[in-house]
Amino acid sequence: VQAEVFKNFQFTEHDPVNGGMVRAREQAKFYYPVCFIEPMQRNQPAFGFDLNARLETLLTAVDAAQAIATPPSQLIQEHQHGPGFIVYLPIFNGPVPATVAARRAANIGFVAAVFRIADLVGPALAHQTGLHVTLRDAADTAPAAYVSPSDGGAAPSRLLSACEFSLPFAGREWRIVFTPTAGFVTGGHAWQSWAVLVVGLALTALLS
């Protein structure tokens, strides 16, 4: 990379102390640097980032020979925004090998798709009047990855219970919780709209 385009290119990692990027530590086996990224200007901080920090997700993708998503986290290139996640699809040197050991030996890299959660689900979940919506990774104990904008501090409805749905996507399971407020009941909303919303999200995930 240095010889072809970027003479100052280096492998980097995130420094949890100062929040910036520093030269990556030496690795015993492999580096997994981000070498091709678009658009470059917006994603400059991630260029050269060593994905050993996400090795568990990478190896899961290789072993399964399918696209696997990371848990939700703060994106390296998005300091000012909410959490996101990355889906990694392994690339092999030739056809996909039949065994896990052969897949690891034949793996030559990954194609990655980066998603900012608020941008991904906000258009569908942010404007559900009378509903408080949360989205979280089922295996993550951290706070919800997405919380719909406040509905004027409306209290939960005493007549309707919260409803929870599971949404499998790229090797992970997401939980969507809809909590109706008093405004939802007085507004005369139909419960069928929930089903339409969830089915739409599920179809979007399956077709992506």
Side-chain angles (χ1 to χ4, degrees):
V1 176
Q2 289 179 336
E4 291 183 4
V5 184
F6 299 96
K7 63 180 181 180
N8 295 322
F9 178 83
Q10 63 178 351
F11 300 156
T12 62
E13 64 182 32
H14 181 251
D15 185 347
V17 177
N18 62 28
M21 305 300 289
V22 296
R23 188 179 184 88
R25 293 163 290 181
E26 289 190 14
Q27 297 293 338
K29 294 185 178 181
F30 303 103
Y31 289 96
Y32 298 89
V34 175
C35 289
F36 303 97
I37 191 166
E38 288 292 340
M40 175 61 79
Q41 183 174 1
R42 175 178 175 180
N43 295 288
Q44 182 72 42
F47 187 54
F49 179 65
D50 178 26
L51 297 177
N52 268 290
R54 298 170 182 150
L55 187 59
E56 181 179 355
T57 300
L58 299 182
L59 293 180
T60 300
V62 171
D63 294 351
Q66 65 182 32
I68 297 294
T70 65
S73 64
Q74 185 66 49
L75 299 171
I76 295 298
Q77 62 270 50
E78 295 285 353
H79 296 296
Q80 311 253 330
H81 301 283
F85 65 92
I86 305 173
V87 178
Y88 291 104
L89 178 68
I91 301 173
F92 299 99
N93 185 14
V96 177
T99 67
V100 169
R103 289 172 184 172
R104 292 196 178 190
N107 175 233
I108 57 173
F110 300 85
V111 174
V114 180
F115 299 93
R116 191 192 299 167
I117 294 176
D119 288 351
L120 184 65
V121 303
L125 301 180
H127 304 292
Q128 300 301 311
T129 305
L131 288 175
H132 179 71
V133 187
T134 60
L135 174 70
R136 69 176 66 248
D137 186 310
D140 197 347
T141 58
Y146 175 82
V147 178
S148 60
S150 175
D151 191 13
S157 169
R158 296 182 180 181
L159 301 177
L160 297 175
S161 300
C163 190
E164 181 174 326
F165 297 89
S166 295
L167 179 62
F169 177 71
R172 305 196 69 82
E173 182 180 344
W174 295 84
R175 298 281 175 82
I176 305 176
V177 179
F178 299 89
T179 303
T181 67
F184 183 85
V185 178
T186 58
H189 297 281
W191 283 86
Q192 287 87 340
S193 61
W194 290 29
V196 172
L197 175 62
V198 173
V199 170
L201 287 171
L203 289 175
T204 299
L206 291 174
L207 293 173
S208 297

